[in-house]
Amino acid sequence: MAASIQRTAREELRALQSERLRETVRHAYENVPFYRERLEEAGIGPDDVDGIDDIQNLPFTTKEDFRDEYPDGLFAVDDDELLRIHASSGTTGKPKIVAYTESDLELWDEVMARSLAAAGIEPGETFQNAYGYGLFTGGLGFHGGAEERGLTVVPTGSGNTQRQVELARDLESDAIGCTPSYALYFAETAAGMGVDPRELPLSTVLYGAEPCTEPMREEIENRLGATGIENYGLSELIGPGVAVECHEAQDGMHVWEDHFYPEVVDPRTGEPLPEGEEGELVLTSLSKEALPVLRYRTGDLTTLTAEKCDCGRTMVRMDSVTGRADDLLIVRGVNLYPSQIEDVVLEFDEIAPHYRIDLYRENALDRMELTVELVEGFDGDREALREAIGERLHNALSFTPDELELVEHGAIERTEVGKVKRVYDHR
Ligand SMILES: [Zn+2]
């Protein structure tokens, strides 16, 4: 079932999605006062959903709703049916609390095992899980799926990187799961210990939880001599395990849409966009018990394609997230995402994959300082390089930072635990 559903005909998949959407709306309506109220406001009863196309009539759920309903206002089952609680890190305010029944945890294991299989990680291989354990869904989400897949799990969690390098070498880890910034930090730490990261047995880096551009993927692959596979998920839906690249094509992440229905909408109007257009990803859970989620506005910008993939899977693919709607930088009226700057800067072989963006306001004017790091041992003409980067940014983005600073290798702070921070808005 698990293998065939990934390659099922689109019409069959839609029939399954329709059935599951009906059940999910009924479950939410009957058991969550918040959803009952929202649906009634929209004039929708549990019998008004016939098929998956009706999803466009349903109201959205937002991260503010999660905060307003803190801690358990969105739960759809009694407390004694809950086996697990997680929480998503909020930079400000209360965390979003999420919960799982036994069946939800089985579902999670299944979609994670599927993700590991799509990444090309075979039963019997050793998986070093460097995602953070604890309330964050990354660690335990990967852990359960890796066991389900029949892998040997090394549950290192994040941090303690010298130890991680030793374990990867001594236990011959075949794959590591971590954030993209941590993969680079891991490679640097290994090199600093006199261990060539390319000589480590790692053949797959399963990265996620942060946006990652294509040039950044190349850096990870080159430094570790491994295949980089991106995965996507979010606690509000389940955690990791919503979408993953297949190792056959490495060309967009297959969304496990028998359980998570994706749409892309205009972030301003909320109107659905045609396939292939970039907009905000909206996700609906189709089989969750404890926390059914209708049309969740993820804030992540991406595109979807239903074109058949080389791997034979028929499930739609989403592009790497170009940015969160929240990450949009508006600098002197120009809209920019940090990922666009990353794309340009990493085209230069002289530049290491580390940068920071500082924003200030001086005399009512925005001011951006971009700091980029030189590769180890750079001894070329800095001024010429600086000019070339400035010119390239200007051509690609019609934007030039007010100050562009080149710093020595290692000068930009690394992130060993948690998500990388590259933008510092002092305005
Ligand atoms: Zn594929």
Side-chain angles (χ1 to χ4, degrees):
M1 176 73 182
S4 64
I5 189 75
Q6 295 177 40
R7 293 174 171 80
T8 195
R10 299 283 310 162
E11 308 84 72
E12 275 175 49
L13 182 60
R14 289 182 74 75
L16 179 69
Q17 289 169 331
S18 295
E19 183 192 321
R20 289 185 171 172
L21 180 67
R22 283 194 293 272
E23 285 166 8
T24 296
V25 171
R26 177 172 299 282
H27 178 49
Y29 183 92
E30 288 177 353
N31 298 298
V32 186
F34 166 86
Y35 279 120
R36 178 188 290 252
E37 207 172 290
R38 283 290 171 91
L39 288 163
E40 281 176 352
E41 276 168 20
I44 296 166
D47 296 323
D48 294 330
V49 177
D50 289 326
I52 193 69
D53 290 330
D54 294 327
I55 201 165
Q56 298 190 358
N57 305 323
L58 303 178
F60 291 117
T61 307
T62 64
K63 67 176 162 206
E64 288 73 30
D65 294 329
F66 269 85
R67 300 236 160 85
D68 294 346
E69 297 298 322
Y70 176 91
D72 58 358
L74 294 175
F75 294 3
V77 300
D78 291 334
D79 287 357
D80 58 5
E81 289 182 55
L82 300 178
L83 259 62
R84 178 97 63 80
I85 297 284
H86 279 284
S88 87
S89 52
T91 40
T92 54
K94 289 175 184 150
K96 285 161 268 177
I97 305 291
V98 298
Y100 305 78
T101 62
E102 185 175 5
S103 136
D104 292 332
L105 290 177
E106 284 169 10
L107 162 66
W108 200 8
D109 286 349
E110 188 209 317
V111 288
M112 282 309 308
R114 244 193 235 187
S115 300
L116 290 155
I121 305 170
E122 295 301 321
E125 293 191 329
T126 298
F127 178 70
Q128 186 158 334
N129 187 12
Y131 282 105
Y133 281 72
L135 283 171
F136 174 56
T137 47
L140 285 167
F142 271 91
H143 189 104
E147 288 185 348
E148 179 77 18
R149 176 73 181 147
L151 310 180
T152 306
V153 189
V154 185
T156 52
S158 53
N160 214 344
T161 308
Q162 294 202 0
R163 168 74 60 80
Q164 299 235 26
V165 170
E166 287 165 9
L167 288 172
R169 181 191 59 201
D170 301 342
L171 300 177
E172 300 183 359
S173 300
D174 299 289
I176 187 168
C178 59
T179 59
S181 59
Y182 189 74
L184 293 172
Y185 185 74
F186 178 93
E188 258 180 17
T189 304
M193 292 162 67
V195 175
D196 180 352
R198 298 180 59 89
E199 295 297 314
L200 289 170
L202 291 170
S203 56
T204 307
V205 181
L206 195 46
Y207 62 81
E210 286 169 7
C212 185
T213 60
E214 205 51 38
M216 188 67 92
R217 180 217 297 271
E218 284 166 23
E219 292 277 356
I220 293 169
E221 292 191 325
N222 290 338
R223 282 164 190 242
L224 284 164
T227 304
I229 299 285
E230 181 168 21
N231 76 92
Y232 175 84
L234 64 174
S235 303
E236 296 87 318
L237 266 293
I238 199 161
V242 173
V244 70
E245 283 182 317
C246 59
H247 70 100
E248 295 95 332
Q250 282 182 289
D251 185 20
M253 295 177 274
H254 289 283
V255 181
W256 302 135
E257 53 173 330
D258 49 337
H259 298 295
F260 309 105
Y261 187 79
E263 301 168 84
V264 163
V265 305
D266 183 317
R268 285 174 301 273
T269 64
E271 286 301 312
L273 294 173
E275 186 187 325
E277 274 190 38
E278 186 180 83
E280 181 179 353
L281 180 68
V282 170
L283 288 165
T284 298
S285 72
L286 294 177
S287 43
K288 294 253 312 284
E289 283 184 348
L291 187 61
V293 184
L294 303 182
R295 301 193 86 199
Y296 183 67
R297 301 277 302 246
T298 65
D300 290 329
L301 300 177
T302 187
T303 53
L304 293 174
T305 175
E307 265 173 49
K308 196 162 177 184
C309 183
D310 290 345
C311 72
R313 290 180 182 83
T314 49
M315 296 202 171
V316 297
R317 281 170 290 154
M318 62 178 273
D319 261 358
S320 197
V321 169
T322 43
R324 292 185 54 81
D326 303 352
D327 293 341
L328 179 68
L329 309 174
I330 304 177
V331 187
R332 297 192 300 268
V334 179
N335 290 358
L336 284 172
Y337 285 99
S339 60
Q340 293 176 294
I341 293 170
E342 177 178 309
D343 248 333
V344 172
V345 169
L346 295 193
E347 281 174 17
F348 290 85
D349 292 340
E350 302 89 339
I351 298 300
H354 304 282
Y355 62 96
R356 67 177 273 165
I357 295 166
D358 286 273
L359 296 164
Y360 303 93
R361 182 160 288 143
E362 283 173 13
N363 305 322
L365 282 178
D366 295 325
R367 175 180 164 76
M368 183 199 280
E369 291 178 9
L370 173 63
T371 309
V372 297
E373 199 178 287
L374 295 162
V375 291
E376 211 163 358
F378 175 83
D379 62 354
D381 183 339
R382 292 185 184 213
E383 198 44 45
L385 177 60
R386 209 152 65 101
E387 273 176 34
I389 295 171
E391 196 176 307
R392 187 74 194 91
L393 282 166
H394 182 75
N395 290 339
L397 307 173
S398 307
F399 182 85
T400 319
D402 301 276
E403 201 165 306
L404 175 57
E405 199 183 348
L406 308 183
V407 295
E408 294 304 324
H409 180 75
I412 292 178
E413 199 186 335
R414 306 295 196 252
T415 306
E416 191 174 6
V417 176
K419 298 187 187 186
V420 68
K421 183 170 165 65
R422 296 195 174 101
V423 178
Y424 297 82
D425 197 337
H426 313 280
R427 295 179 294 186

